[in-house]
Amino acid sequence: MSIRILLALCLAAPLVGGAAEPSSAQPAGHITGVGGIFFKAKDPKALAAWYRDVLGLPLQSWGGAVLPYDAPQHPPALIWNVLPASTTYLAPSTSGLMINYAVDDMDAFIARLSAKGVTPLKRTDDASGRFAWLLDPEGNKIELWQPKPAATQ
């Protein structure tokens, strides 16, 4: 199943069955979500500065960023997926990790990237929203996603 289909299902789930709520019947001791993303870099300070200066990631004094789930237009859930070792979805990166960042306005975001000299590898739109891909300075692939607006009822 493609990642974009999973994203579309993720967005549609709250519309169909209501927002996912923990079941009182579920026993204690289960995963409730992703609490952070951590990865190595050859030059962590320079890479963090690039994410701040180019992508606009709001870095804190301790060097990381806090991205709240309740931010306006943020998707209602995080997608977690293991890809086969043979996948080319992360190419041209040789890293085994790709982070998908949700954005509120793809055109404005791409314009900001262009002003910083960054050109996306590819852009596409599909049933789950708008996508663009780029590489950070250390060769990690980044997926940008502007989810389709939820249907108004």
Side-chain angles (χ1 to χ4, degrees), residues 59-145:
L59 294 185
Q60 304 294 312
S61 60
W62 47 271
V66 176
L67 304 171
Y69 276 95
D70 61 352
Q73 299 180 354
H74 188 282
L78 181 139
I79 302 300
W80 184 94
N81 190 24
V82 178
L83 302 172
S86 61
T87 188
T88 58
Y89 193 70
L90 279 61
S93 177
T94 57
S95 173
L97 171 78
M98 178 181 74
I99 300 176
N100 169 299
Y101 293 100
V103 301
D104 61 351
D105 184 322
M106 186 66 75
D107 292 331
F109 202 88
I110 296 299
R112 180 152 107 238
L113 290 175
S114 295
K116 304 270 184 189
V118 177
T119 303
L121 300 167
K122 180 181 173 185
R123 291 183 67 176
T124 191
D125 294 7
D126 69 16
S128 60
R130 306 181 76 197
F131 292 86
W133 296 267
L134 57 131
L135 295 177
D136 73 16
E138 293 206 7
N140 299 301
K141 192 170 184 184
I142 297 167
E143 183 173 68
L144 303 173
W145 173 42

Side-chain angles (χ1 to χ4, degrees), residues 25-50:
Q26 190 173 29
H30 60 278
I31 292 174
T32 61
V34 172
I37 298 171
F38 306 88
F39 58 100
K40 295 180 182 182
K42 296 174 195 140
D43 188 343
K45 287 184 180 182
L47 190 59
W50 184 87

